[in-house]
Amino acid sequence: MQGIGIFDGDILVVDRHLAVRNLDVIVGCYNGEFICKIIDIKNKLLISANPEHKPALITTNESFTLEGVVSRSIRCHRPANII
């Protein structure tokens, strides 16, 4: 998600109470995989910030659950020793 300012090691604040809007960054589960993507509600697409990855279409054949909307990202400048 570097294309939109989310980098490896960042902490995401995911709000389950926000109503999802078109082109929000979301966290979800798509076909058993935990994902962080941009959601295009109008076209039922999950879009990667990396232009090399094609958008994934959400159809009735796909398993998709929305976990929440990313409302904030926190950049960590010094790694934490959390196990």
Side-chain angles (χ1 to χ4, degrees):
M1 300 299 288
Q2 292 180 7
I4 58 168
I6 299 173
F7 296 89
D8 188 35
D10 286 359
I11 297 170
L12 300 181
V13 177
V14 180
D15 193 329
R16 291 178 176 223
H17 299 286
L18 286 177
V20 66
R21 290 191 247 167
N22 200 44
L23 303 180
D24 271 345
V25 177
I26 58 96
V27 170
C29 186
Y30 180 73
N31 291 333
E33 297 284 329
F34 196 61
I35 58 154
C36 179
K37 299 282 184 187
I38 299 164
I39 190 164
D40 181 341
I41 298 169
K42 296 175 185 176
N43 297 307
K44 297 183 181 180
L45 293 173
L46 296 170
I47 304 166
S48 175
N50 183 342
E52 294 181 13
H53 292 109
K54 293 181 181 178
L57 182 63
I58 305 169
T59 67
T60 55
N61 296 329
E62 312 300 329
S63 171
F64 175 71
T65 56
L66 176 71
E67 297 299 325
V69 176
V70 176
S71 60
R72 305 277 188 278
S73 63
I74 302 167
R75 175 109 357 94
C76 298
H77 296 278
R78 184 176 194 193
N81 294 328
I82 300 172
I83 297 175

